[in-house]
Amino acid sequence: MHTNIFTFIAIALFIAACDSHPDRSLLAQQAKQYSPQDPHLKQIYQSSCKNCHTLKDTGAPLTGDTSTWHDLLNQYGKDLLLQNIINGKGGMPPFGLCMECQEQDFVALIDFMAQPMGVAE
């Protein structure tokens, strides 16, 4: 009987440890301190992207949440993510409210937000 309980607990702990998605509260806290080094991208990020991609309750993938971004890029590809930015999707307004942005800006911002925090772009 005790062996079954211990086995169940060990399996549950193993499964919990395998969750590759980090704590969204901690990520959101860290993401608020992080922005691109490039001045042009930093301005866009600060005025458009940061409003949603640093708040855990918006549903937007958090900046630096490499696991979520990896999943999105694998599932949809960068081209479809780019189209979602341009056309809007879910809570994402068209162009992320950056009407003056170019496609290469959005691609660079996807790359920035998908990388681990602290990695130079």
Side-chain angles (χ1 to χ4, degrees):
M1 173 84 168
H2 292 292
T3 304
N4 290 340
I5 292 171
F6 290 122
T7 303
F8 176 77
I9 291 171
I11 291 171
L13 289 173
F14 177 76
I15 291 170
C18 290
D19 182 8
S20 61
H21 294 280
D23 177 8
R24 287 183 57 83
S25 295
L26 178 61
L27 271 174
Q29 201 172 43
Q30 293 172 338
K32 288 178 183 174
Q33 308 302 316
Y34 190 52
S35 63
Q37 292 182 4
D38 176 89
H40 174 70
L41 291 178
K42 183 175 185 172
Q43 185 276 324
I44 296 168
Y45 180 78
Q46 296 289 335
S47 64
S48 295
C49 310
K50 189 173 183 176
N51 296 330
C52 294
H53 290 277
T54 62
L55 301 173
K56 68 181 179 93
D57 295 330
T58 63
L62 294 170
T63 298
D65 184 351
T66 55
S67 180
T68 297
W69 281 101
H70 181 269
D71 292 348
L72 288 170
L73 288 164
N74 280 340
Q75 185 174 358
Y76 301 109
K78 196 179 291 184
D79 289 339
L80 183 56
L81 292 181
L82 177 61
Q83 291 308 308
N84 289 343
I85 295 169
I86 292 169
N87 298 318
K89 180 170 171 96
M92 175 85 160
F95 294 95
L97 297 179
C98 183
M99 301 307 177
E100 71 277 1
C101 288
Q102 303 296 313
E103 284 188 12
Q104 65 265 21
D105 297 326
F106 295 132
V107 170
L109 287 163
I110 289 170
D111 290 342
F112 165 75
M113 289 188 280
Q115 69 185 355
M117 285 183 245
V119 176
E121 74 272 13

